[in-house]
Amino acid sequence: MDKRYPDTYYSDYLQLGRLLECQQRKSESYGSPAHDEMLFIIVHQAYELWFKQILFEIDSVREIFGGDSVEEKRIGLAVARLLRVTEIQKILIDQLRVLETMTPLDFLDFRDFLFPASGFQSVQFRMIEIKLGLLSARRLKYDEAPYHSRLSGEHRERLFDLESETSLFDLVERWLERMPFLEEEGFRFRERYGGAVVRMLEGDRDLIRTHSTLSAREKELQLEELDRTLASFESLLDPDRHGSLQEKGRWRLSHRATLAALFITAYRDEPLLHMPYRLLDCLVDVDELFTTWRYRHALMVHRMIGAKIGTGGSSGYHYLKSTAETHRIFSDLTNLSTYLLPRAALPRLPDELLKKLAFVYRP
Amino acid sequence: MDKRYPDTYYSDYLQLGRLLECQQRKSESYGSPAHDEMLFIIVHQAYELWFKQILFEIDSVREIFGGDSVEEKRIGLAVARLLRVTEIQKILIDQLRVLETMTPLDFLDFRDFLFPASGFQSVQFRMIEIKLGLLSARRLKYDEAPYHSRLSGEHRERLFDLESETSLFDLVERWLERMPFLEEEGFRFRERYGGAVVRMLEGDRDLIRTHSTLSAREKELQLEELDRTLASFESLLDPDRHGSLQEKGRWRLSHRATLAALFITAYRDEPLLHMPYRLLDCLVDVDELFTTWRYRHALMVHRMIGAKIGTGGSSGYHYLKSTAETHRIFSDLTNLSTYLLPRAALPRLPDELLKKLAFVYRP
Amino acid sequence: MDKRYPDTYYSDYLQLGRLLECQQRKSESYGSPAHDEMLFIIVHQAYELWFKQILFEIDSVREIFGGDSVEEKRIGLAVARLLRVTEIQKILIDQLRVLETMTPLDFLDFRDFLFPASGFQSVQFRMIEIKLGLLSARRLKYDEAPYHSRLSGEHRERLFDLESETSLFDLVERWLERMPFLEEEGFRFRERYGGAVVRMLEGDRDLIRTHSTLSAREKELQLEELDRTLASFESLLDPDRHGSLQEKGRWRLSHRATLAALFITAYRDEPLLHMPYRLLDCLVDVDELFTTWRYRHALMVHRMIGAKIGTGGSSGYHYLKSTAETHRIFSDLTNLSTYLLPRAALPRLPDELLKKLAFVYRP
Amino acid sequence: MDKRYPDTYYSDYLQLGRLLECQQRKSESYGSPAHDEMLFIIVHQAYELWFKQILFEIDSVREIFGGDSVEEKRIGLAVARLLRVTEIQKILIDQLRVLETMTPLDFLDFRDFLFPASGFQSVQFRMIEIKLGLLSARRLKYDEAPYHSRLSGEHRERLFDLESETSLFDLVERWLERMPFLEEEGFRFRERYGGAVVRMLEGDRDLIRTHSTLSAREKELQLEELDRTLASFESLLDPDRHGSLQEKGRWRLSHRATLAALFITAYRDEPLLHMPYRLLDCLVDVDELFTTWRYRHALMVHRMIGAKIGTGGSSGYHYLKSTAETHRIFSDLTNLSTYLLPRAALPRLPDELLKKLAFVYRP
């Protein structure tokens, strides 16, 4: 290492001169400074910094999955970066507690100055959603208007452009679809799994029927539930049924990708599948943490402004709360739990396949 | 201090001998030990310990508010104990992360052994809800059955008995109703506040009408919203309108108590109202944290068992998620934010009243 | 409310255009982009944003305590703002977990580019310490150099100027010194408290002497400890002994202020003392959380760079760890616990004094 | 699945009848009930429940590493269980916030009844330390007495027995020692790494010498530091120097194991090393979190009882604080960061070796 680099000074490196000049209170410029507006600004800026970091990580994961094939060793890298995203998301959630140190009465001191600005206008958050894979068509409308109606033309353009890019959802789906192993010589995963399912559910049926403390009505309800479960399994395993539910929006992942995800989840103990499993688990985590964040955010808004019109005229927290779940992206992966069999009931993999899923080195 | 007490030994004091023998894995007794069942047991036991502590604190707060009048200095004590409850609730929420280190596949290793046990059967959690003030009639039904249908006769009895006791909600309501200050010589809080509201909303109306960037449709929507807001204010301030909404379940607190809570919130800077305000704020916190906990709990259940029948045959996380908000108790207090006026618009209190709200000592 | 304000747009209001351009990776400008440098920058920028907010709150608290007297009702405001500081501090601590998603190997990808920049150069953090009350003379030296040796001339000036201002420590000390109540007619707090202490400690002495399971050696050690405790109490209550220890740096608060803090802590249940007690408690919290943050920060540095020279050539985490405790500011308040008596042993306050500490209003 | 299992009832399954009877307040049995003693008991019981779970996980990890060889696929399982331990540890730390809702004055209401019980008497925590690998000889003495001096004979026996078992530290050390790859045909890791180190440090030396803003004195200090670094590297890489430092207690891991850990850390991107790296990282996490917990615990004790004799006559928080770092177990792993080279400077592995570290399957 030779020394080609000039000295670095902390404050210059972080551009603190500019960064710490970006906090201008409206209330101050209008001559009635409201103390808590500073907090309001800084909390939101901290959010936007973290959003930038999350975008940076998502982009890098999209790049990893962007090629025609993914080098196995790079999946660990993708996992590490998604784990980082989840650690940031925990901060996003905890930051709400800081904002909640502002009381509704204190917020009123400057709320009118912000009109009609609103957190709905965070372009970066919309970019995160789009890059993860939220489809415009799946977004809830707000006041009958599309999600981008409050944005400037420039920002709207940027989001439209982004919507035509390939999302992380798409890339993961393709990667799953490419996965071999589902159809090996003498092994058809789908058929084998389906057989095991039927055996298990028939056991459950007996369990309910012969149950001593359930009332007749309860049994009836549970057997109906079981039938729905069986139908649901079929809708997962049968390509046609899956396809028709996919058209209705009940499933989003392709049939092939869903089966691959199920395979990974069920046989995750095999070395080659370990990181892929952790990847899927991380995606569920990311989804769950954003869901939690949206929900907590909605509760905070409820507390802060009640049901009155929001800073941007929004009809309030009901919309936010509805998006918590609706804007989930990887719920197909979460729903896979429904279709898991206990290890003891899982079809055994052929030795040839097991070998493929192992390391070259054997002690 | 003289020495009447025999020596205390840590392990005896905490009864660790018994405490640490209460973890018996079903899977072990059935001969197929599942590693993760230990975690499952211990997490739930930790929950129950904390529930006991929360009950203990709620009971002490109920006792403070139980008499004919509450000594002002004891309100600080009630606040301290509710703050403790909120710190415990944060642990309840964080503990879900520990449980989520168990994967769905690992849960399947012992899930069948637990049938039909379910977290719905936590008597202590039901007791917390009842003591806080959740009314039986407001509970969501589950599988068309009342919330106590899965409980033993003895446990059901205990809950029924509890439902006839006076809840914290009731006690706080009475305390609020007793509050003087709303009608002092030459000062009628309700009328003065109502006048200020009308002035403010008319201002908002102009704001919307003359707004330059809102479309006609948006203006229309916002003006409709404003009318709803005005009507809502009237329903708060007018005893008859409040009463009829109360009958429909839209408000729960009595009119008198609601006005007192509004008064406290608006004039919380006066010394005498400081602790009462913090008390109301703590109740909102307790409510919000249980709401968050229920929601996060629902997400965890979704992740763990999908939409299949739960350990107790429950149709799953949808029910849990619905209770998150529905089982809130102090939402009237949260909704008060809707009706707050900015400090500048608040009616000024008469000097005589201000003096009453101060300390004897003046520097 | 009339409408004098132009529309506000979220992104302009938060100056996101500038804010999100402040992240320039050195590694990128040198042609070998290191992915994790973005995280490094953003985490530190988030820290600096929060530091700005903390400074803003500390300044407002200093203003509240800045006059010749403090209106009682404004102490609640000071408490609320310090509580906000503590919520921010929790975020500061949690953010370390995000930084720790960067591994030592990843840090090496860009570490050389930063030389000799270092977190020691955070001017805002030094400002926080100074405004809270950290004395230059109490700072640990680093590599034999004063804490400001790595700073630019301009930054050094700013800190020197600040050191001549009145710190929060000074202001709180003066406020405590002004507190009446310690010497009322027929009541001398110091004497009464001293008498109660002697009674209690003699009780402890008997307790140890007659103890059945302690060995002779253990008893000896504990009695020595008790004598030290008694001496320590005297050094608190006796102005001369306190003064001489103060000269040695063992106490920092003046004798008068210390007694006032003890009075507040012991009789905090009285209404007038409730907020003052919470203020002292908050100051201990702020201190403890910075101590924790410094310590956790030191652990993170240890993990990241081991004992090798730091980015700024620092000899590493040992220095950081030493500052954790040494740079505490309000340790006199923490140490007060040592001198508390159980409620039952506390001298009873005269009725006249009790009345002064109450509200005007009596139900 | 057939139905051989009787119905399970939540409350019986968790043995709540017994569990919730284990909270008996001393203050109540002595006729002067102290409200906060309930919290004190329940917090400590929650700690002990979690300690039991941590022991359960550590035992399972010890079992995984207990045989003559460790199946590669089981390392992922060990990692998952250690990750669970870290999630629990975060709860342990956060629980301190709950305990801190008890003020020093409130603690005094029942503190005397507990004499001489003390958290030092937690047998389970000592067991955790021993099972992880804390050597009795490395423990700090307390009041000149060994750590077990306050324990009952039975408990002391249990710990002595445990000390003769093989700790997780020992097992991991053996596993590292068994690792092949350090000496392959045509590749000697130690020599290659040493060469790279020398090249890098000579670069650093030039960097310092030619540095423009450092003073002569600073340069001198940094060059001395560099020499120490070089010597330190030699003490890592040279078996004799390592051995003599090991005798002095500076290193604990064997030379062979240390080199293996360095190899894993440096080449962790290779598939076979991914999980081993995460295992080492988890051990550092576990260590760091216990260090943090001990430190935070010490701060809490300081706040609660000051410097006076503790409940068990302990001379207080100084001892606790000292153990925070001293009782670390895997600090050799943390210190490895010191000896890492940037990826660009790392010796390239031979293709043959790279192939061994990959999966059988290649897309």
Side-chain angles (χ1 to χ4, degrees), chain D residues 24 272 282:
Chain D
Q24 296 300 332
L272 187 72
C282 272

Side-chain angles (χ1 to χ4, degrees), chain B residues 72 75 175-190 192 256 259-261 263-264 267 270-274 276 348-350 352-358, chain C residues 359-363:
Chain B
E72 296 309 315
I75 296 179
W175 167 72
L176 286 167
E177 288 171 347
R178 282 193 309 262
M179 198 188 76
F181 317 131
L182 297 187
E183 308 205 347
E184 299 280 315
E185 209 171 317
F187 178 76
R188 292 283 174 280
F189 173 63
R190 188 169 69 79
R192 297 290 300 278
R256 169 85 200 171
L259 288 181
F263 180 84
I264 289 170
Y267 300 103
E270 303 312 315
L272 187 71
L273 301 180
H274 202 100
R348 188 168 147 50
L349 298 184
E352 265 314 291
L353 180 48
L354 281 175
K355 207 189 141 195
K356 269 194 201 168
L357 302 176
Chain C
F359 292 110
V360 169
Y361 171 78
R362 290 172 165 254

Side-chain angles (χ1 to χ4, degrees), chain A residues 49-69:
Chain A
L49 282 184
W50 290 124
F51 290 164
K52 175 161 183 174
Q53 184 64 35
I54 290 174
L55 285 168
F56 191 73
E57 303 297 347
I58 293 175
D59 279 342
S60 86
V61 176
R62 284 164 79 218
E63 203 198 316
I64 289 172
F65 282 86
D68 285 339
S69 77

Side-chain angles (χ1 to χ4, degrees), chain D residues 49-228:
Chain D
L49 282 184
W50 290 124
F51 290 164
K52 177 163 181 173
Q53 184 64 35
I54 290 175
L55 285 168
F56 191 73
E57 302 298 349
I58 292 175
D59 280 343
S60 86
V61 176
R62 285 163 78 218
E63 203 200 315
I64 290 172
F65 282 87
D68 286 338
S69 77
V70 186
E71 222 188 332
E72 296 309 315
K73 62 193 274 187
R74 299 197 75 209
I75 295 179
L77 190 59
V79 167
R81 290 179 180 172
L82 289 175
L83 276 175
R84 175 175 296 164
V85 170
T86 63
E87 288 297 335
I88 295 173
Q89 288 177 300
K90 291 176 198 166
I91 299 290
L92 299 185
I93 292 169
D94 290 340
Q95 280 186 181
L96 288 169
R97 284 255 137 218
V98 180
L99 195 49
E100 286 184 334
T101 63
M102 182 175 78
T103 65
L105 195 59
D106 294 323
F107 185 32
L108 286 175
D109 285 345
F110 62 94
R111 193 175 144 201
D112 283 336
F113 304 133
L114 310 187
F115 189 84
S118 153
F120 288 105
Q121 294 168 335
S122 170
V123 174
Q124 285 199 119
F125 191 68
R126 300 294 164 232
M127 289 171 70
I128 290 174
E129 293 180 324
I130 294 170
K131 287 187 183 207
L132 283 175
L134 182 60
L135 297 176
S136 196
R138 293 214 172 197
R139 286 187 189 270
L140 291 184
K141 293 225 167 169
Y142 177 60
D143 280 356
E144 304 175 33
Y147 77 98
H148 47 68
S149 61
R150 306 282 190 75
L151 297 178
S152 70
E154 182 205 334
H155 286 152
R156 216 174 294 180
E157 284 305 312
R158 206 195 301 173
L159 296 184
F160 289 168
D161 288 352
L162 207 57
E163 283 178 351
S164 63
E165 288 185 19
T166 312
S167 71
L168 182 58
F169 180 94
D170 298 330
L171 293 167
V172 167
E173 184 177 48
R174 290 179 200 169
W175 167 72
L176 286 167
E177 287 171 348
R178 283 193 309 261
M179 197 189 76
F181 316 131
L182 297 188
E183 307 206 349
E184 299 281 313
E185 208 171 319
F187 178 75
R188 294 281 173 283
F189 172 63
R190 189 168 71 80
E191 284 78 358
R192 296 291 300 278
Y193 201 85
V197 164
V198 168
R199 279 191 298 280
M200 188 195 69
L201 283 182
E202 290 314 310
D204 278 1
R205 192 180 302 277
D206 290 348
L207 181 70
I208 294 166
R209 276 189 190 134
T210 61
H211 202 278
S212 53
T213 61
L214 291 175
S215 70
R217 177 73 187 122
E218 285 174 321
K219 287 186 181 184
E220 189 185 340
L221 284 168
Q222 293 198 12
L223 288 172
E224 283 171 27
E225 175 69 30
L226 192 101
D227 285 336
R228 281 193 295 274

Side-chain angles (χ1 to χ4, degrees), chain D residues 328-360:
Chain D
R328 284 186 87 136
I329 291 153
F330 296 97
S331 43
D332 287 355
L333 297 179
T334 312
N335 288 330
L336 273 190
S337 307
T338 321
Y339 307 105
L340 271 185
L341 299 182
R343 279 189 182 86
L346 280 180
R348 191 172 144 50
L349 299 184
D351 288 347
E352 265 313 293
L353 180 48
L354 283 174
K355 207 190 139 195
K356 270 195 201 168
L357 302 175
F359 292 110
V360 169

Side-chain angles (χ1 to χ4, degrees), chain B residues 1 3 7 73 76 180-181 203-204 207 211 213 269-272 274-275 278 355-356 358-361, chain C residues 1 3 7 72-73 76 180-181 203-204 207 211 213 269-272 274-275 278 355-356 358-361:
Chain B
M1 187 185 75
K3 172 62 181 169
D7 273 12
K73 62 194 273 190
F181 317 131
D204 279 2
L207 182 69
H211 203 278
T213 61
D269 295 333
E270 303 312 315
L272 187 71
H274 202 100
M275 274 300 140
R278 286 183 50 75
K355 207 189 141 195
K356 269 194 201 168
F359 292 110
V360 169
Y361 171 77
Chain C
M1 187 185 75
K3 173 62 184 169
D7 272 12
E72 296 309 315
K73 62 194 274 188
F181 317 131
D204 279 1
L207 182 69
H211 203 278
T213 62
D269 296 331
E270 304 309 317
L272 187 72
H274 202 101
M275 275 299 141
R278 285 183 51 76
K355 207 188 141 195
K356 270 195 201 168
F359 292 110
V360 169
Y361 171 78

